[in-house]
Amino acid sequence: MELAAAALRRGVKVQPLSWHGQRPQPPGLVLGYAANAPGDIERGIATVAAALCGLR
């Protein structure tokens, strides 16, 4: 959840995987990509990676 919040602060909306499961699971993110151009997806992933590095 912390990474999803950090990504959103940088302008990329992702959801914690825990919001979509009924049982405990490893941490993860749900990424939507259907309405985005490939370049937008690449920039979004780079933004999420930068957010992750900022949390470490």
Side-chain angles (χ1 to χ4, degrees), residues 1 4 13-22 25 28 30:
M1 289 180 43
K13 185 177 181 181
V14 295
Q15 296 179 348
L17 186 59
S18 61
W19 290 3
H20 299 276
Q22 295 180 352
Q25 63 232 346
V30 176

Side-chain angles (χ1 to χ4, degrees), residues 1-55:
M1 289 180 43
E2 188 176 351
L3 178 54
L8 185 58
R9 285 191 295 273
R10 293 170 181 254
V12 175
K13 185 177 181 181
V14 295
Q15 296 179 348
L17 186 59
S18 61
W19 290 3
H20 299 276
Q22 295 180 352
R23 296 186 181 132
Q25 63 232 346
L29 296 175
V30 176
L31 310 172
Y33 57 88
N36 295 289
D40 293 337
I41 295 168
E42 291 174 10
R43 285 186 291 279
I45 294 298
T47 300
V48 172
L52 177 60
C53 289
L55 293 177

